[in-house]
mmCIF file of all heavy atoms in Angstrom:
data_model
loop_
_atom_site.group_PDB
_atom_site.id
_atom_site.type_symbol
_atom_site.label_atom_id
_atom_site.label_comp_id
_atom_site.label_asym_id
_atom_site.label_seq_id
_atom_site.Cartn_x
_atom_site.Cartn_y
_atom_site.Cartn_z
ATOM 1 N N GLY A 609 12.317 -4.616 8.947
ATOM 2 C CA GLY A 609 10.956 -4.683 8.426
ATOM 3 C C GLY A 609 10.937 -4.725 6.913
ATOM 4 O O GLY A 609 10.082 -4.106 6.269
ATOM 5 N N THR A 610 11.879 -5.458 6.331
ATOM 6 C CA THR A 610 12.002 -5.499 4.875
ATOM 7 C C THR A 610 10.782 -6.139 4.231
ATOM 8 O O THR A 610 10.360 -5.732 3.149
ATOM 9 C CB THR A 610 13.280 -6.260 4.486
ATOM 10 O OG1 THR A 610 14.402 -5.571 5.055
ATOM 11 C CG2 THR A 610 13.449 -6.345 2.984
ATOM 12 N N TYR A 611 10.233 -7.165 4.880
ATOM 13 C CA TYR A 611 8.964 -7.751 4.459
ATOM 14 C C TYR A 611 7.914 -7.431 5.517
ATOM 15 O O TYR A 611 8.214 -7.416 6.718
ATOM 16 C CB TYR A 611 9.079 -9.267 4.294
ATOM 17 C CG TYR A 611 9.711 -9.695 2.991
ATOM 18 C CD1 TYR A 611 11.073 -9.993 2.927
ATOM 19 C CD2 TYR A 611 8.958 -9.816 1.834
ATOM 20 C CE1 TYR A 611 11.662 -10.392 1.733
ATOM 21 C CE2 TYR A 611 9.543 -10.207 0.639
ATOM 22 C CZ TYR A 611 10.882 -10.500 0.593
ATOM 23 O OH TYR A 611 11.450 -10.884 -0.597
ATOM 24 N N VAL A 612 6.712 -7.172 5.073
ATOM 25 C CA VAL A 612 5.605 -6.899 5.987
ATOM 26 C C VAL A 612 4.416 -7.748 5.571
ATOM 27 O O VAL A 612 4.322 -8.194 4.428
ATOM 28 C CB VAL A 612 5.211 -5.404 5.976
ATOM 29 C CG1 VAL A 612 6.352 -4.537 6.467
ATOM 30 C CG2 VAL A 612 4.768 -4.964 4.578
ATOM 31 N N GLU A 613 3.526 -7.970 6.491
ATOM 32 C CA GLU A 613 2.246 -8.588 6.156
ATOM 33 C C GLU A 613 1.189 -7.509 6.199
ATOM 34 O O GLU A 613 0.944 -6.895 7.237
ATOM 35 C CB GLU A 613 1.896 -9.727 7.113
ATOM 36 C CG GLU A 613 0.626 -10.460 6.683
ATOM 37 C CD GLU A 613 0.389 -11.741 7.455
ATOM 38 O OE1 GLU A 613 1.326 -12.543 7.574
ATOM 39 O OE2 GLU A 613 -0.742 -11.916 7.940
ATOM 40 N N ALA A 614 0.587 -7.240 5.047
ATOM 41 C CA ALA A 614 -0.448 -6.218 4.944
ATOM 42 C C ALA A 614 -1.675 -6.839 4.298
ATOM 43 O O ALA A 614 -1.564 -7.490 3.253
ATOM 44 C CB ALA A 614 0.039 -5.027 4.115
ATOM 45 N N ASP A 615 -2.815 -6.672 4.952
ATOM 46 C CA ASP A 615 -4.082 -7.213 4.443
ATOM 47 C C ASP A 615 -3.966 -8.710 4.167
ATOM 48 O O ASP A 615 -4.496 -9.228 3.180
ATOM 49 C CB ASP A 615 -4.516 -6.456 3.180
ATOM 50 C CG ASP A 615 -4.653 -4.965 3.434
ATOM 51 O OD1 ASP A 615 -5.547 -4.590 4.207
ATOM 52 O OD2 ASP A 615 -3.842 -4.198 2.905
ATOM 53 N N GLY A 616 -3.226 -9.399 5.051
ATOM 54 C CA GLY A 616 -3.117 -10.842 4.971
ATOM 55 C C GLY A 616 -2.150 -11.366 3.940
ATOM 56 O O GLY A 616 -2.089 -12.577 3.712
ATOM 57 N N VAL A 617 -1.354 -10.496 3.310
ATOM 58 C CA VAL A 617 -0.430 -10.912 2.259
ATOM 59 C C VAL A 617 0.990 -10.514 2.645
ATOM 60 O O VAL A 617 1.259 -9.340 2.931
ATOM 61 C CB VAL A 617 -0.803 -10.274 0.903
ATOM 62 C CG1 VAL A 617 0.205 -10.684 -0.175
ATOM 63 C CG2 VAL A 617 -2.216 -10.679 0.480
ATOM 64 N N LEU A 618 1.907 -11.479 2.642
ATOM 65 C CA LEU A 618 3.321 -11.173 2.855
ATOM 66 C C LEU A 618 3.858 -10.465 1.624
ATOM 67 O O LEU A 618 3.693 -10.937 0.496
ATOM 68 C CB LEU A 618 4.103 -12.462 3.100
ATOM 69 C CG LEU A 618 5.600 -12.306 3.364
ATOM 70 C CD1 LEU A 618 5.846 -11.576 4.673
ATOM 71 C CD2 LEU A 618 6.288 -13.672 3.362
ATOM 72 N N GLN A 619 4.515 -9.314 1.824
ATOM 73 C CA GLN A 619 4.958 -8.503 0.694
ATOM 74 C C GLN A 619 6.134 -7.624 1.103
ATOM 75 O O GLN A 619 6.354 -7.377 2.291
ATOM 76 C CB GLN A 619 3.812 -7.632 0.185
ATOM 77 C CG GLN A 619 3.177 -6.736 1.236
ATOM 78 C CD GLN A 619 1.864 -6.149 0.771
ATOM 79 O OE1 GLN A 619 1.839 -5.128 0.085
ATOM 80 N NE2 GLN A 619 0.767 -6.793 1.152
ATOM 81 N N PRO A 620 6.902 -7.139 0.115
ATOM 82 C CA PRO A 620 8.027 -6.264 0.458
ATOM 83 C C PRO A 620 7.534 -4.912 0.944
ATOM 84 O O PRO A 620 6.549 -4.360 0.427
ATOM 85 C CB PRO A 620 8.779 -6.124 -0.871
ATOM 86 C CG PRO A 620 7.748 -6.413 -1.924
ATOM 87 C CD PRO A 620 6.817 -7.407 -1.332
ATOM 88 N N ALA A 621 8.216 -4.390 1.934
ATOM 89 C CA ALA A 621 7.906 -3.050 2.428
ATOM 90 C C ALA A 621 8.399 -2.008 1.431
ATOM 91 O O ALA A 621 9.291 -2.273 0.633
ATOM 92 C CB ALA A 621 8.569 -2.825 3.780
ATOM 93 N N PRO A 622 7.825 -0.805 1.449
ATOM 94 C CA PRO A 622 8.319 0.260 0.568
ATOM 95 C C PRO A 622 9.790 0.546 0.814
ATOM 96 O O PRO A 622 10.298 0.431 1.933
ATOM 97 C CB PRO A 622 7.456 1.463 0.946
ATOM 98 C CG PRO A 622 6.190 0.874 1.481
ATOM 99 C CD PRO A 622 6.622 -0.373 2.205
ATOM 100 N N ALA A 623 10.484 0.917 -0.234
ATOM 101 C CA ALA A 623 11.906 1.257 -0.163
ATOM 102 C C ALA A 623 12.192 2.297 -1.241
ATOM 103 O O ALA A 623 11.471 2.361 -2.236
ATOM 104 C CB ALA A 623 12.767 0.008 -0.381
ATOM 105 N N PRO A 624 13.228 3.140 -1.044
ATOM 106 C CA PRO A 624 14.138 3.195 0.093
ATOM 107 C C PRO A 624 13.525 3.923 1.282
ATOM 108 O O PRO A 624 12.403 4.440 1.202
ATOM 109 C CB PRO A 624 15.326 3.973 -0.478
ATOM 110 C CG PRO A 624 14.703 4.904 -1.478
ATOM 111 C CD PRO A 624 13.589 4.115 -2.100
ATOM 112 N N ARG A 625 14.285 3.991 2.386
ATOM 113 C CA ARG A 625 13.798 4.609 3.619
ATOM 114 C C ARG A 625 14.136 6.094 3.621
ATOM 115 O O ARG A 625 15.284 6.475 3.410
ATOM 116 C CB ARG A 625 14.431 3.941 4.840
ATOM 117 C CG ARG A 625 14.426 2.409 4.819
ATOM 118 C CD ARG A 625 13.010 1.843 4.819
ATOM 119 N NE ARG A 625 13.012 0.399 4.629
ATOM 120 C CZ ARG A 625 13.142 -0.491 5.618
ATOM 121 N NH1 ARG A 625 13.326 -0.084 6.856
ATOM 122 N NH2 ARG A 625 13.101 -1.781 5.358
ATOM 123 N N LEU A 626 13.159 6.928 3.867
ATOM 124 C CA LEU A 626 13.371 8.367 3.982
ATOM 125 C C LEU A 626 13.159 8.769 5.433
ATOM 126 O O LEU A 626 12.178 8.353 6.064
ATOM 127 C CB LEU A 626 12.412 9.142 3.072
ATOM 128 C CG LEU A 626 12.790 9.192 1.582
ATOM 129 C CD1 LEU A 626 12.527 7.869 0.879
ATOM 130 C CD2 LEU A 626 12.039 10.320 0.876
ATOM 131 N N SER A 627 14.049 9.598 5.968
ATOM 132 C CA SER A 627 14.036 9.883 7.401
ATOM 133 C C SER A 627 12.887 10.791 7.824
ATOM 134 O O SER A 627 12.327 10.620 8.909
ATOM 135 C CB SER A 627 15.367 10.512 7.813
ATOM 136 O OG SER A 627 15.561 11.759 7.160
ATOM 137 N N ARG A 628 12.513 11.769 6.990
ATOM 138 C CA ARG A 628 11.512 12.753 7.415
ATOM 139 C C ARG A 628 10.140 12.498 6.810
ATOM 140 O O ARG A 628 9.114 12.793 7.442
ATOM 141 C CB ARG A 628 12.008 14.161 7.045
ATOM 142 C CG ARG A 628 11.140 15.285 7.614
ATOM 143 C CD ARG A 628 11.796 16.645 7.406
ATOM 144 N NE ARG A 628 12.137 16.890 6.013
ATOM 145 C CZ ARG A 628 11.250 17.278 5.076
ATOM 146 N NH1 ARG A 628 9.991 17.474 5.403
ATOM 147 N NH2 ARG A 628 11.649 17.489 3.836
ATOM 148 N N THR A 629 10.098 11.963 5.584
ATOM 149 C CA THR A 629 8.819 11.710 4.925
ATOM 150 C C THR A 629 8.773 10.251 4.479
ATOM 151 O O THR A 629 8.878 9.944 3.297
ATOM 152 C CB THR A 629 8.630 12.637 3.707
ATOM 153 O OG1 THR A 629 9.751 12.473 2.819
ATOM 154 C CG2 THR A 629 8.529 14.085 4.128
ATOM 155 N N PRO A 630 8.650 9.337 5.442
ATOM 156 C CA PRO A 630 8.758 7.914 5.107
ATOM 157 C C PRO A 630 7.629 7.433 4.214
ATOM 158 O O PRO A 630 6.513 7.950 4.242
ATOM 159 C CB PRO A 630 8.710 7.242 6.481
ATOM 160 C CG PRO A 630 7.973 8.213 7.359
ATOM 161 C CD PRO A 630 8.386 9.562 6.880
ATOM 162 N N ALA A 631 7.952 6.427 3.427
ATOM 163 C CA ALA A 631 6.958 5.783 2.581
ATOM 164 C C ALA A 631 6.153 4.785 3.407
ATOM 165 O O ALA A 631 6.535 4.419 4.514
ATOM 166 C CB ALA A 631 7.655 5.064 1.427
ATOM 167 N N ALA A 632 5.024 4.350 2.857
ATOM 168 C CA ALA A 632 4.173 3.394 3.561
ATOM 169 C C ALA A 632 3.283 2.672 2.565
ATOM 170 O O ALA A 632 3.006 3.189 1.472
ATOM 171 C CB ALA A 632 3.312 4.106 4.608
ATOM 172 N N VAL A 633 2.855 1.463 2.941
ATOM 173 C CA VAL A 633 1.817 0.781 2.166
ATOM 174 C C VAL A 633 0.521 1.524 2.421
ATOM 175 O O VAL A 633 -0.006 1.526 3.537
ATOM 176 C CB VAL A 633 1.695 -0.694 2.581
ATOM 177 C CG1 VAL A 633 0.546 -1.363 1.824
ATOM 178 C CG2 VAL A 633 2.994 -1.436 2.328
ATOM 179 N N ALA A 634 0.004 2.191 1.391
ATOM 180 C CA ALA A 634 -1.123 3.111 1.581
ATOM 181 C C ALA A 634 -2.471 2.409 1.669
ATOM 182 O O ALA A 634 -3.457 3.027 2.078
ATOM 183 C CB ALA A 634 -1.154 4.126 0.436
ATOM 184 N N GLY A 635 -2.526 1.140 1.303
ATOM 185 C CA GLY A 635 -3.797 0.442 1.358
ATOM 186 C C GLY A 635 -3.746 -0.817 0.528
ATOM 187 O O GLY A 635 -2.773 -1.070 -0.192
ATOM 188 N N PRO A 636 -4.784 -1.632 0.577
ATOM 189 C CA PRO A 636 -4.790 -2.893 -0.158
ATOM 190 C C PRO A 636 -5.009 -2.677 -1.651
ATOM 191 O O PRO A 636 -5.433 -1.591 -2.074
ATOM 192 C CB PRO A 636 -5.971 -3.639 0.459
ATOM 193 C CG PRO A 636 -6.910 -2.551 0.890
ATOM 194 C CD PRO A 636 -6.020 -1.428 1.354
ATOM 195 N N PRO A 637 -4.740 -3.693 -2.465
ATOM 196 C CA PRO A 637 -5.039 -3.590 -3.893
ATOM 197 C C PRO A 637 -6.551 -3.458 -4.090
ATOM 198 O O PRO A 637 -7.325 -4.130 -3.406
ATOM 199 C CB PRO A 637 -4.529 -4.918 -4.474
ATOM 200 C CG PRO A 637 -3.630 -5.488 -3.430
ATOM 201 C CD PRO A 637 -4.127 -4.990 -2.119
ATOM 202 N N PRO A 638 -6.987 -2.608 -5.007
ATOM 203 C CA PRO A 638 -8.430 -2.446 -5.209
ATOM 204 C C PRO A 638 -8.990 -3.492 -6.157
ATOM 205 O O PRO A 638 -8.289 -4.030 -7.014
ATOM 206 C CB PRO A 638 -8.523 -1.063 -5.856
ATOM 207 C CG PRO A 638 -7.254 -0.960 -6.651
ATOM 208 C CD PRO A 638 -6.210 -1.689 -5.846
ATOM 209 N N ARG A 639 -10.250 -3.789 -6.013
ATOM 210 C CA ARG A 639 -10.975 -4.520 -7.040
ATOM 211 C C ARG A 639 -11.253 -3.544 -8.182
ATOM 212 O O ARG A 639 -11.458 -2.350 -7.944
ATOM 213 C CB ARG A 639 -12.297 -5.053 -6.492
ATOM 214 C CG ARG A 639 -12.130 -6.036 -5.336
ATOM 215 C CD ARG A 639 -11.731 -7.391 -5.826
ATOM 216 N NE ARG A 639 -11.530 -8.339 -4.727
ATOM 217 C CZ ARG A 639 -11.204 -9.606 -4.898
ATOM 218 N NH1 ARG A 639 -11.033 -10.083 -6.128
ATOM 219 N NH2 ARG A 639 -11.029 -10.413 -3.865
ATOM 220 N N PRO A 640 -11.243 -4.018 -9.433
ATOM 221 C CA PRO A 640 -11.529 -3.103 -10.552
ATOM 222 C C PRO A 640 -12.856 -2.386 -10.371
ATOM 223 O O PRO A 640 -13.885 -3.011 -10.156
ATOM 224 C CB PRO A 640 -11.549 -4.048 -11.761
ATOM 225 C CG PRO A 640 -10.644 -5.169 -11.371
ATOM 226 C CD PRO A 640 -10.880 -5.375 -9.906
ATOM 227 N N GLY A 641 -12.792 -1.060 -10.423
ATOM 228 C CA GLY A 641 -13.991 -0.247 -10.288
ATOM 229 C C GLY A 641 -14.480 -0.063 -8.875
ATOM 230 O O GLY A 641 -15.547 0.532 -8.656
ATOM 231 N N GLU A 642 -13.732 -0.507 -7.893
ATOM 232 C CA GLU A 642 -14.185 -0.464 -6.501
ATOM 233 C C GLU A 642 -14.478 0.952 -6.013
ATOM 234 O O GLU A 642 -15.350 1.160 -5.170
ATOM 235 C CB GLU A 642 -13.124 -1.116 -5.606
ATOM 236 C CG GLU A 642 -13.467 -1.162 -4.130
ATOM 237 C CD GLU A 642 -12.399 -1.854 -3.300
ATOM 238 O OE1 GLU A 642 -11.540 -2.550 -3.876
ATOM 239 O OE2 GLU A 642 -12.436 -1.700 -2.059
ATOM 240 N N HIS A 643 -13.775 1.933 -6.558
ATOM 241 C CA HIS A 643 -13.907 3.308 -6.052
ATOM 242 C C HIS A 643 -14.440 4.270 -7.115
ATOM 243 O O HIS A 643 -14.178 5.474 -7.043
ATOM 244 C CB HIS A 643 -12.547 3.801 -5.545
ATOM 245 C CG HIS A 643 -11.879 2.881 -4.587
ATOM 246 N ND1 HIS A 643 -10.914 1.979 -4.964
ATOM 247 C CD2 HIS A 643 -12.062 2.713 -3.250
ATOM 248 C CE1 HIS A 643 -10.500 1.299 -3.901
ATOM 249 N NE2 HIS A 643 -11.181 1.717 -2.855
ATOM 250 N N THR A 644 -15.161 3.758 -8.089
ATOM 251 C CA THR A 644 -15.552 4.596 -9.225
ATOM 252 C C THR A 644 -16.262 5.870 -8.781
ATOM 253 O O THR A 644 -15.834 6.985 -9.122
ATOM 254 C CB THR A 644 -16.448 3.803 -10.193
ATOM 255 O OG1 THR A 644 -15.681 2.712 -10.736
ATOM 256 C CG2 THR A 644 -16.918 4.690 -11.339
ATOM 257 N N ASP A 645 -17.340 5.739 -8.048
ATOM 258 C CA ASP A 645 -18.111 6.927 -7.648
ATOM 259 C C ASP A 645 -17.296 7.836 -6.744
ATOM 260 O O ASP A 645 -17.306 9.068 -6.890
ATOM 261 C CB ASP A 645 -19.397 6.504 -6.941
ATOM 262 C CG ASP A 645 -20.409 5.868 -7.880
ATOM 263 O OD1 ASP A 645 -20.070 5.670 -9.066
ATOM 264 O OD2 ASP A 645 -21.523 5.557 -7.436
ATOM 265 N N GLU A 646 -16.576 7.230 -5.812
ATOM 266 C CA GLU A 646 -15.775 7.999 -4.856
ATOM 267 C C GLU A 646 -14.723 8.840 -5.563
ATOM 268 O O GLU A 646 -14.542 10.030 -5.269
ATOM 269 C CB GLU A 646 -15.136 7.009 -3.885
ATOM 270 C CG GLU A 646 -14.155 7.589 -2.902
ATOM 271 C CD GLU A 646 -13.453 6.495 -2.116
ATOM 272 O OE1 GLU A 646 -14.076 5.438 -1.862
ATOM 273 O OE2 GLU A 646 -12.268 6.692 -1.759
ATOM 274 N N VAL A 647 -14.013 8.228 -6.519
ATOM 275 C CA VAL A 647 -12.951 8.943 -7.226
ATOM 276 C C VAL A 647 -13.532 10.031 -8.124
ATOM 277 O O VAL A 647 -13.039 11.172 -8.143
ATOM 278 C CB VAL A 647 -12.094 7.958 -8.053
ATOM 279 C CG1 VAL A 647 -11.199 8.710 -9.029
ATOM 280 C CG2 VAL A 647 -11.263 7.088 -7.128
ATOM 281 N N LEU A 648 -14.558 9.700 -8.881
ATOM 282 C CA LEU A 648 -15.126 10.700 -9.793
ATOM 283 C C LEU A 648 -15.635 11.904 -9.018
ATOM 284 O O LEU A 648 -15.480 13.052 -9.468
ATOM 285 C CB LEU A 648 -16.235 10.076 -10.633
ATOM 286 C CG LEU A 648 -15.795 9.008 -11.644
ATOM 287 C CD1 LEU A 648 -16.996 8.477 -12.408
ATOM 288 C CD2 LEU A 648 -14.751 9.562 -12.607
#
C-alpha cells in the first residue's frame, strides 16, 4: 500500500510503518480558511 488514492488523488501513503501506533492520511487538504471558526 505504498501509494493510496485518498479523496480522488493518487498519493504516497504515510511512512515509515509503526506496528502499534500506525500513521494515516488524516484527511484531505483544506481550502484556505475552511476551518477558521471551528479551529478558533
Side-chain angles (χ1 to χ4, degrees):
T610 300
Y611 280 96
V612 297
E613 186 170 311
D615 303 294
V617 178
L618 181 66
Q619 56 193 276
R625 313 297 173 86
L626 281 75
S627 63
R628 188 171 54 79
T629 56
V633 176
R639 298 282 178 178
E642 181 178 345
H643 309 97
T644 296
D645 290 5
E646 174 187 328
V647 167
L648 293 180

